[in-house]
Amino acid sequence: MCGELNETHIGNTVTLVGWVASHRDLGGMVFVDLRDRAGICQLRFDPDLDAETLTRAGQLRSEWCVGVIGEVVSRGENVNQDRSTGAVEVVIHTLEVFSEAQTPPFAIRDDCDANENLRLEYRYLDLRRPMLQRSLLTRSKVNSLTRNYLTSQGFGEFETPVLTRSTPEGARDYLVPSRVHPGKFFALPQSPQIFKQLLMVSGFDRYFQIVKCFRDEDLRADRQPEFTQIDMELSFVTADDVMKVCEGLLKTIFEGTLDIEVQLPFERMAYADAMRRFGVDNPDLRFGMEICNVSELVKESAFKVFSATVQAGNTVRGLCLEGGAERFSRKDINGFEDTVKVYGAKGLAWVKVGAGEWSGSIAKFFDDEARQAIESAMGASPGDLLVFVADRESVVNPALGNLRKQLGKEMGLADPATFRFCWITEFPMFEADEEEGRLYAMHHPFTSPLPEDFDKLHTEPLSVRAQAYDLVLNGNEIGGGSIRIHRQDVQHKVFELLGLSEEEAQEKFGFLLKALTYGTPPHGGIAFGVDRLVMLLTGAASLRDVIAFPKTTRAADLMSEAPSVVDGTQLDELSLKVTRTTTEDAVS
Amino acid sequence: MCGELNETHIGNTVTLVGWVASHRDLGGMVFVDLRDRAGICQLRFDPDLDAETLTRAGQLRSEWCVGVIGEVVSRGENVNQDRSTGAVEVVIHTLEVFSEAQTPPFAIRDDCDANENLRLEYRYLDLRRPMLQRSLLTRSKVNSLTRNYLTSQGFGEFETPVLTRSTPEGARDYLVPSRVHPGKFFALPQSPQIFKQLLMVSGFDRYFQIVKCFRDEDLRADRQPEFTQIDMELSFVTADDVMKVCEGLLKTIFEGTLDIEVQLPFERMAYADAMRRFGVDNPDLRFGMEICNVSELVKESAFKVFSATVQAGNTVRGLCLEGGAERFSRKDINGFEDTVKVYGAKGLAWVKVGAGEWSGSIAKFFDDEARQAIESAMGASPGDLLVFVADRESVVNPALGNLRKQLGKEMGLADPATFRFCWITEFPMFEADEEEGRLYAMHHPFTSPLPEDFDKLHTEPLSVRAQAYDLVLNGNEIGGGSIRIHRQDVQHKVFELLGLSEEEAQEKFGFLLKALTYGTPPHGGIAFGVDRLVMLLTGAASLRDVIAFPKTTRAADLMSEAPSVVDGTQLDELSLKVTRTTTEDAVS
């Protein structure tokens, strides 16, 4: 390969194929940079070459696809330090042009600043950029490492259907009209959850699949309508067994693609602790700056916003930004306030800590004693900035938790070369919808409670913890799963708590419930998002940089112009009529 | 595992989990056959067990899911020769019932004769049958062997989209309505053909993917609406290079799953020879019985059907069924005639060869000399049955070719334990539609002609051969591919011959054609059907036996009852209206 040449090849005759990355004609001598998926090397066409080859070499232009034969020679003093092949060049004696190329609409370089929509339209050219080449090769390697590891652990890969039944809960399904059964529809799977549980009922006790899943949601920057999961399910296991297999898997993936060592076992943190210390269930543990609850210290404060909040049964919590007093301007702090407002906070109170004094608008409300108590609780020193949010816990936690993550990046606390894994466990089984006065399942209704909490199902369901576990990496949830319910009495009780009658349960989950009556093994599983995982692994800025042919945030493929209008006969065959058409000319 | 126990484990204490396959109570002693995916072993509960365990053991019923601990002991004289675990049994001291089971609607045994629709409805139970367990585990192994082999050959696995653009040619697409772009549709891919060619343009020179593809066709017994392909594409290669990689792959798959040795290289046969000798382009080479052209010998025959056919420029060909004179009755021969009529033949002429004489209705038209000439040409001996079809070559070939395949099975000539691979090469580029007076591409319009036939594109296109290759195994096409066109002049000429204007070509294949102008490497590829491959490998009778959750021939999933009616709001969101509904209550 072009990118593999080095001094050990000097004197060898080599055959290379690839694309012209650049070309220059220096007084009858032609230099060409040739690129393949391994990298770039320099070709030299000397003036003593036969006239035809030399002429053809002079005609070469960017992105022509060529093959050459030549001898590897040293570049002597003229080493190019910027590339691994920089010590050598190849003196060419034979050139074949496989095909010429039009001038590409943008330069094929990692620092290309062309508009993303243009690059998506010419995705096949954008994919020639070394960064995207590396991303997709890494993705391929992740999938390969995953399969080999799981196979070595006794798993089989079993394919589940893509044309499935639409489920009444969860995200919006992509539908596929049936021609043979007019008026009926398949749905593309949001996950193979039910099928993998059925495989456990069937006795395939270690299932995995790297599988495409689909959600028709309004897309955020970090979502795609089709995404890939590493999906697993195991029978006769505990949550510990599942987590252990996953830890081996993640170690294999990360050590197989990066030059790092992954320590096992991963840290574990109960959901309640994560929320208390970090405000979120996917904390970034690469740095400290934990949330501090100062409610007790401010409940009698002269600052009425704080004291009234605590006296109403709510909470006041804060973060200590080390060295933040000087570092952050009033404008920066306004920006932090914008962040917490996104999560429903009404404002952000702050003080700058000096030597024996505070500054800032609320400083005057705190006497020496109060100041010292708060500084001590928050571990503050002179030069630090303290920020506070006062509200219900359900507002304060996400507000400060997400502000903390943002600050971790802005303050350089989150080292990009560190990979900090953590299991979050003991999630609540249920969330209460206070307005509707009913319970919802926090994961899904087949998630098993912790055995020691079974009894509480009857007495205090909101304190029942689930045998659910999420794997968090550097502040991102990369996987989640649970032990499922295999006892019918427990399943019935959970449905009852969720307000589902026997009939409704049958209507919604009929064939799975039936299957569970024919001898169900204890089982559990997990699913990891491949796109996110590879993004974190490669440091890519966007999911689109780790997917070969991604969709835009408006769920369109700009290259093939999909979705598109189809023939009327196709719709007739499907017994369908379009009731409203788009006014746009092309997708975007 | 239950199925792994043998005499080497005697004296060991083992923990087993699985399902009760059968149970019998013999005078206070309980015997249970316990099944897992590895097989079945016998458990024994002795009368001296604690009362609770013994009582519970007596309650065990078929398909209960249980765990046990016990000691492996010899069965002494009472060896069960029918199973690999038959020399031992496990004396149980601890029993845990994970879950009880209803009585299953059919017995979980390979010789179960329950109606297939019932078995599909309870697929999770049918999948417990040892035969289906083996099939799916073999399938998993085939996929794993494939990935490891191709990775070792420098391939990367790259995922192509499932939500793609509908293509105007080929089979019928499954459509997916877009909510964001009302009136527009995605299509599920019939193959990743265009995307894999774009990956070649992008410089990923060795692509593979094990990928789901979709066709909304009226299903035959051996088709499924979603099917799985091993899909490959390579740059800078010849057809020989592709075939060599594939041969290594097939050898790896077959030797990795069966106790056989696969000889390389595979036989190759030009399309023209396959048609002449076997009448089909997917011949079963496990036996001879080649087609014999007797046109020259019968063109003056007194049997006018033969002589008139030849004189009209058509053909008379036949098969010699060794020992068929006695073996086959008049009724059997009528059955053969039904077969050839399926392919458009008007009838089947036949004679039985005796010692120096023929019998049968047309025997009287042939004198001694004619008889001897035909017997000699067809290699016939006394006791053989000769059958003939007289018609256009395009009728005679498929009629006799398919009759030959049927006879190969009926006469026991096709050994099920033999795997005979053959490449069919040098396919014609074009087929003529005589009625429409135009040419069609036999593979697809991006298939490259053989370089030595380039010139004939301009003079005699129907004699141009393609760089296409199919891999045939025991009479089944298991894969097909080609070297693609990468020269724009050749591509334009091919479009012209297919009657496509520049505008039409752009309309149909726009974004691929554009991509090909930016420096295209020479490239080619192939795709194998995984379902068919695994079916042949396991000797399964149906594709449904190698797919975990298959659809019926009416494209329905009887277990989940998909497709199904969906909410009106779902259709409203998609700007769709159903114009006709089905009258059926449930899918079938």
Side-chain angles (χ1 to χ4, degrees):
Chain A
M1 306 289 291
C2 296
E4 290 171 345
L5 291 184
N6 59 45
E7 284 171 302
T8 67
H9 302 103
I10 289 174
N12 290 3
T13 294
V14 294
T15 302
L16 300 170
V17 291
W19 285 263
V20 174
S22 68
H23 56 93
R24 6 184 226 300
D25 198 329
L26 297 179
M29 204 183 232
V30 177
F31 290 94
V32 166
D33 278 351
L34 191 68
R35 187 192 65 236
D36 65 17
R37 69 178 147 88
I40 289 179
C41 68
Q42 177 162 293
L43 313 181
R44 201 178 84 204
F45 296 83
D46 284 340
D48 59 356
L49 259 177
D50 65 283
E52 192 184 333
T53 302
L54 198 59
T55 305
R56 198 72 179 125
Q59 294 166 338
L60 293 176
R61 289 295 172 270
S62 285
E63 302 309 320
W64 286 25
C65 182
V66 303
V68 293
I69 306 174
E71 191 189 340
V72 182
V73 300
S74 168
R75 290 177 64 171
E77 303 287 288
N78 295 316
V79 173
N80 179 341
Q81 302 287 2
D82 294 339
R83 55 172 77 141
S84 63
T85 64
V88 298
E89 61 188 5
V90 187
V91 179
I92 304 303
H93 58 73
T94 305
L95 165 67
E96 180 177 5
V97 174
F98 295 125
S99 59
E100 303 185 359
Q102 293 191 68
T103 304
F106 49 82
I108 312 296
R109 292 204 314 253
D110 278 344
D111 58 359
C112 164
D113 60 356
N115 170 291
E116 189 177 14
N117 278 3
L118 184 69
R119 289 193 282 113
L120 286 172
E121 185 184 339
Y122 291 88
R123 183 64 171 177
Y124 42 88
L125 296 180
D126 204 29
L127 283 175
R128 288 185 186 168
R129 287 197 292 137
M131 193 196 76
L132 283 175
Q133 296 259 322
R134 278 195 304 273
S135 287
L136 292 189
L137 291 169
T138 298
R139 183 180 181 120
S140 173
K141 187 153 191 196
V142 167
N143 285 352
S144 176
L145 290 165
T146 298
R147 288 187 160 104
N148 286 337
Y149 172 77
L150 292 176
T151 303
S152 78
Q153 299 295 308
F155 285 76
E157 184 163 16
F158 304 101
E159 299 164 54
T160 53
V162 176
L163 296 170
T164 64
R165 184 184 168 92
S166 184
T167 48
E169 303 229 327
R172 198 185 286 111
D173 284 325
Y174 274 104
L175 296 183
V176 182
S178 164
R179 178 180 54 86
V180 182
H181 307 276
K184 295 190 173 179
F185 294 80
F186 294 103
L188 303 183
Q190 297 183 27
S191 99
Q193 182 65 34
I194 291 183
F195 290 104
K196 70 177 177 174
Q197 291 193 240
L198 292 176
L199 285 170
M200 295 304 107
V201 173
S202 297
F204 295 97
D205 52 67
R206 294 203 148 199
Y207 148 95
F208 85 100
Q209 191 181 192
I210 300 183
V211 61
K212 279 276 178 80
C213 301
F214 306 85
R215 277 185 204 163
D216 184 11
E217 293 298 326
D218 293 314
L219 302 181
R220 300 195 309 250
D222 61 346
R223 283 276 177 88
Q224 284 278 317
E226 53 183 285
F227 54 97
T228 306
Q229 276 186 192
I230 299 170
D231 195 48
M232 296 160 56
E233 195 79 9
L234 302 79
S235 289
F236 309 111
V237 290
T238 62
D240 278 348
D241 295 327
V242 178
M243 287 191 261
K244 195 167 166 208
V245 166
C246 292
E247 290 178 0
L249 172 61
L250 271 299
K251 184 179 172 72
T252 301
I253 290 174
F254 276 75
E255 294 185 350
T257 51
L258 297 173
D259 186 23
I260 61 168
E261 198 175 321
V262 173
Q263 297 299 329
L264 298 186
F266 294 158
E267 188 171 350
R268 293 190 193 184
M269 193 181 293
Y271 171 86
D273 294 328
M275 295 305 281
R276 181 175 50 78
R277 294 171 56 191
F278 304 100
V280 291
D281 62 2
N282 56 359
D284 190 337
L285 299 184
R286 286 174 296 177
F287 60 98
M289 200 162 70
E290 298 190 15
I291 292 172
C292 182
N293 187 342
V294 296
S295 302
E296 280 305 306
L297 304 178
V298 302
K299 75 177 170 193
E300 307 291 346
S301 171
F303 184 46
K304 289 296 168 211
V305 173
F306 283 6
S307 50
T309 297
V310 178
Q311 283 160 27
N314 292 318
T315 189
V316 180
R317 303 187 187 187
L319 296 174
C320 172
L321 283 55
E322 206 180 317
E326 201 146 311
R327 177 170 193 151
F328 294 113
S329 67
R330 189 65 174 256
K331 197 176 148 209
D332 293 329
I333 297 172
N334 288 344
F336 304 158
E337 186 159 28
D338 290 343
T339 296
V340 300
K341 284 181 170 172
V342 169
Y343 298 93
K346 287 181 280 294
L348 186 77
W350 58 272
V351 290
K352 290 185 170 177
V353 179
E357 54 171 23
W358 283 5
S359 61
S361 57
I362 68 164
K364 60 180 182 230
F365 297 110
F366 298 87
D367 61 18
D368 278 359
E369 192 184 346
R371 275 199 287 110
Q372 281 162 21
I374 292 172
E375 285 180 18
S376 161
M378 298 181 76
S381 310
D384 293 351
L385 170 67
L386 307 182
V387 299
F388 303 91
V389 174
D391 212 312
R392 281 175 295 130
E393 192 174 335
S394 60
V395 169
V396 175
N397 274 339
L400 287 177
N402 286 290
L403 175 60
R404 175 184 171 276
K405 281 197 197 176
Q406 176 188 327
L407 289 168
K409 281 178 203 138
E410 286 184 18
M411 295 171 71
L413 302 172
D415 173 16
T418 296
F419 293 91
R420 207 44 203 277
F421 295 91
C422 178
W423 289 107
I424 307 297
T425 62
E426 300 178 32
F427 283 83
M429 273 290 282
F430 304 102
E431 292 176 292
D433 184 311
E434 283 153 25
E435 285 173 25
E436 295 186 36
R438 53 159 288 196
L439 299 182
Y440 283 91
M442 195 149 176
H443 275 64
H444 58 62
F446 303 105
T447 301
S448 174
L450 280 175
E452 59 264 41
D453 288 0
F454 275 0
D455 289 344
K456 292 190 201 161
L457 282 173
H458 301 271
T459 53
E460 36 173 343
L462 275 172
S463 69
V464 174
R465 292 162 299 167
Q467 291 192 64
Y469 32 80
D470 279 1
L471 185 58
V472 172
L473 169 59
N474 293 356
N476 301 276
E477 183 210 318
I478 58 170
S482 66
I483 297 297
R484 328 298 180 185
I485 298 172
H486 77 282
R487 276 175 51 182
Q488 294 179 44
D489 56 337
V490 176
Q491 186 68 69
H492 280 110
K493 185 67 198 169
V494 168
F495 280 144
E496 184 193 316
L497 288 167
L498 293 171
L500 277 181
S501 69
E502 187 64 34
E503 291 70 33
E504 286 168 315
Q506 284 300 334
E507 170 74 24
K508 291 189 174 184
F509 309 107
F511 67 101
L512 177 57
L513 288 178
K514 196 171 175 188
L516 294 177
T517 66
Y518 286 103
T520 309
H523 63 291
I526 194 165
F528 292 94
V530 173
D531 308 294
R532 181 68 46 86
L533 188 63
V534 176
M535 190 178 146
L536 293 171
L537 202 56
T538 59
S542 153
L543 284 179
R544 291 186 292 281
D545 287 346
V546 299
I547 296 172
F549 299 100
K551 304 282 192 297
T552 64
T553 49
R554 295 203 67 222
D557 175 350
L558 299 184
M559 181 184 66
S560 68
E561 295 184 352
S564 65
V565 171
V566 298
D567 283 355
T569 53
Q570 287 176 277
L571 295 184
D572 290 345
E573 285 186 313
L574 297 174
S575 307
L576 284 181
K577 211 174 108 181
V578 169
T579 59
R580 185 170 66 101
T581 56
T582 178
T583 51
E584 40 179 306
D585 279 345
V587 294
S588 64
Chain B
M1 306 288 291
C2 296
E4 290 171 345
L5 291 183
N6 59 45
E7 284 172 302
T8 66
H9 302 102
I10 289 174
N12 290 3
T13 294
V14 294
T15 303
L16 300 171
V17 292
W19 285 262
V20 174
S22 67
H23 55 93
R24 4 183 227 302
D25 198 329
L26 297 180
M29 204 182 230
V30 177
F31 291 93
V32 166
D33 279 348
L34 192 67
R35 188 193 62 237
D36 64 19
R37 68 177 147 89
I40 289 178
C41 68
Q42 177 163 295
L43 314 181
R44 200 178 84 204
F45 297 84
D46 285 342
D48 59 357
L49 258 175
D50 65 282
E52 191 185 334
T53 303
L54 198 59
T55 305
R56 197 72 179 124
Q59 293 166 338
L60 293 176
R61 289 296 174 268
S62 285
E63 302 310 319
W64 286 25
C65 182
V66 303
V68 293
I69 306 174
E71 192 188 339
V72 182
V73 301
S74 168
R75 290 177 64 170
E77 305 286 288
N78 295 318
V79 173
N80 179 341
Q81 302 288 0
D82 294 340
R83 56 172 77 142
S84 62
T85 63
V88 298
E89 62 189 5
V90 187
V91 180
I92 303 303
H93 57 75
T94 306
L95 164 68
E96 179 177 5
V97 174
F98 295 124
S99 60
E100 303 185 359
Q102 293 191 67
T103 304
F106 49 83
I108 312 296
R109 292 203 317 250
D110 278 343
D111 58 358
C112 164
D113 60 356
N115 171 292
E116 189 178 13
N117 278 2
L118 184 69
R119 289 192 283 114
L120 286 173
E121 185 185 340
Y122 292 88
R123 184 65 171 176
Y124 42 87
L125 296 179
D126 204 29
L127 283 175
R128 287 184 186 169
R129 286 197 293 137
M131 193 197 76
L132 282 176
Q133 296 259 324
R134 277 194 305 273
S135 287
L136 292 190
L137 292 169
T138 299
R139 183 181 181 119
S140 173
K141 187 152 193 200
V142 166
N143 285 352
S144 176
L145 290 165
T146 298
R147 289 189 160 104
N148 286 336
Y149 172 78
L150 291 177
T151 302
S152 79
Q153 300 295 307
F155 286 75
E157 185 162 17
F158 303 102
E159 299 164 54
T160 53
V162 176
L163 296 170
T164 64
R165 184 185 168 91
S166 184
T167 49
E169 303 229 328
R172 199 185 287 109
D173 284 325
Y174 274 105
L175 296 182
V176 183
S178 163
R179 177 179 55 86
V180 181
H181 306 275
K184 295 189 174 180
F185 295 79
F186 295 103
L188 303 182
Q190 296 184 28
S191 99
Q193 182 65 34
I194 291 184
F195 289 104
K196 69 177 176 173
Q197 291 193 238
L198 292 176
L199 286 170
M200 295 304 107
V201 173
S202 298
F204 295 98
D205 52 67
R206 294 203 148 198
Y207 147 95
F208 86 99
Q209 191 181 191
I210 301 183
V211 60
K212 280 276 178 80
C213 300
F214 307 85
R215 278 186 204 161
D216 184 12
E217 293 298 324
D218 294 314
L219 303 181
R220 301 195 308 252
D222 60 347
R223 283 277 176 88
Q224 285 278 317
E226 55 183 285
F227 54 98
T228 306
Q229 276 185 192
I230 299 170
D231 195 47
M232 296 160 56
E233 195 79 9
L234 302 80
S235 289
F236 310 110
V237 291
T238 62
D240 278 348
D241 296 327
V242 178
M243 288 191 262
K244 197 169 164 205
V245 166
C246 293
E247 291 179 0
L249 172 62
L250 272 299
K251 184 179 171 74
T252 301
I253 290 173
F254 277 75
E255 294 186 350
T257 51
L258 297 173
D259 186 23
I260 61 168
E261 198 174 322
V262 174
Q263 297 299 328
L264 299 187
F266 294 158
E267 188 171 349
R268 294 188 191 185
M269 192 180 294
Y271 172 86
D273 293 329
M275 295 305 282
R276 182 175 49 78
R277 295 171 55 191
F278 303 101
V280 291
D281 61 3
N282 57 0
D284 190 337
L285 300 185
R286 287 175 296 178
F287 60 98
M289 199 162 70
E290 297 189 16
I291 292 172
C292 182
N293 187 340
V294 295
S295 302
E296 280 305 307
L297 305 178
V298 301
K299 75 176 169 192
E300 307 292 345
S301 171
F303 183 46
K304 290 296 168 207
V305 173
F306 282 6
S307 50
T309 297
V310 178
Q311 283 161 27
N314 292 317
T315 190
V316 180
R317 303 186 187 186
L319 296 173
C320 173
L321 284 55
E322 208 181 313
E326 199 146 311
R327 177 170 193 151
F328 294 113
S329 67
R330 190 64 174 257
K331 196 175 150 210
D332 293 327
I333 297 172
N334 288 344
F336 304 157
E337 186 159 29
D338 291 343
T339 297
V340 299
K341 283 181 171 172
V342 169
Y343 299 93
K346 287 180 280 293
L348 186 77
W350 59 270
V351 292
K352 290 186 170 176
V353 178
E357 52 169 25
W358 283 4
S359 61
S361 58
I362 69 164
K364 61 181 180 227
F365 296 110
F366 298 88
D367 61 18
D368 278 0
E369 192 184 346
R371 275 199 286 107
Q372 280 162 23
I374 291 173
E375 285 180 17
S376 162
M378 299 183 74
S381 310
D384 293 349
L385 170 67
L386 307 182
V387 297
F388 302 92
V389 174
D391 212 312
R392 281 176 295 129
E393 192 173 333
S394 61
V395 169
V396 175
N397 274 339
L400 287 177
N402 287 289
L403 176 59
R404 175 184 171 275
K405 280 197 199 175
Q406 175 187 329
L407 289 168
K409 282 178 203 138
E410 286 185 16
M411 295 170 72
L413 302 173
D415 173 17
T418 297
F419 293 91
R420 203 50 198 276
F421 295 92
C422 178
W423 290 107
I424 307 297
T425 61
E426 300 179 32
F427 283 83
M429 273 289 283
F430 304 103
E431 293 177 293
D433 184 311
E434 283 153 27
E435 285 173 25
E436 295 187 37
R438 53 158 287 194
L439 300 181
Y440 284 91
M442 195 150 175
H443 274 65
H444 58 62
F446 303 106
T447 301
S448 174
L450 280 175
E452 59 264 40
D453 288 0
F454 275 1
D455 289 343
K456 291 190 201 162
L457 283 172
H458 301 272
T459 52
E460 37 174 344
L462 276 172
S463 69
V464 173
R465 292 162 299 168
Q467 291 193 63
Y469 32 80
D470 279 1
L471 186 58
V472 171
L473 169 58
N474 293 356
N476 301 277
E477 184 211 318
I478 57 170
S482 66
I483 297 297
R484 328 298 180 185
I485 297 172
H486 77 282
R487 276 175 50 183
Q488 294 180 42
D489 57 336
V490 176
Q491 185 67 69
H492 280 111
K493 184 67 198 169
V494 168
F495 279 143
E496 185 192 315
L497 288 167
L498 293 172
L500 277 181
S501 70
E502 187 63 36
E503 291 71 35
E504 287 168 314
Q506 284 299 335
E507 170 72 26
K508 291 190 172 182
F509 309 108
F511 68 101
L512 177 57
L513 288 178
K514 196 170 172 190
L516 294 178
T517 67
Y518 286 104
T520 309
H523 63 290
I526 195 165
F528 292 94
V530 173
D531 309 295
R532 181 68 46 84
L533 188 63
V534 176
M535 189 177 148
L536 293 171
L537 202 57
T538 58
S542 154
L543 284 179
R544 291 185 292 281
D545 286 346
V546 298
I547 296 173
F549 299 100
K551 304 283 191 298
T552 64
T553 51
R554 295 204 66 223
D557 176 350
L558 299 184
M559 180 184 67
S560 68
E561 295 183 354
S564 65
V565 171
V566 297
D567 282 356
T569 53
Q570 288 176 276
L571 296 184
D572 290 345
E573 284 187 313
L574 297 174
S575 308
L576 284 182
K577 211 173 107 180
V578 170
T579 58
R580 185 170 67 99
T581 55
T582 179
T583 51
E584 41 179 307
D585 279 345
V587 293
S588 64

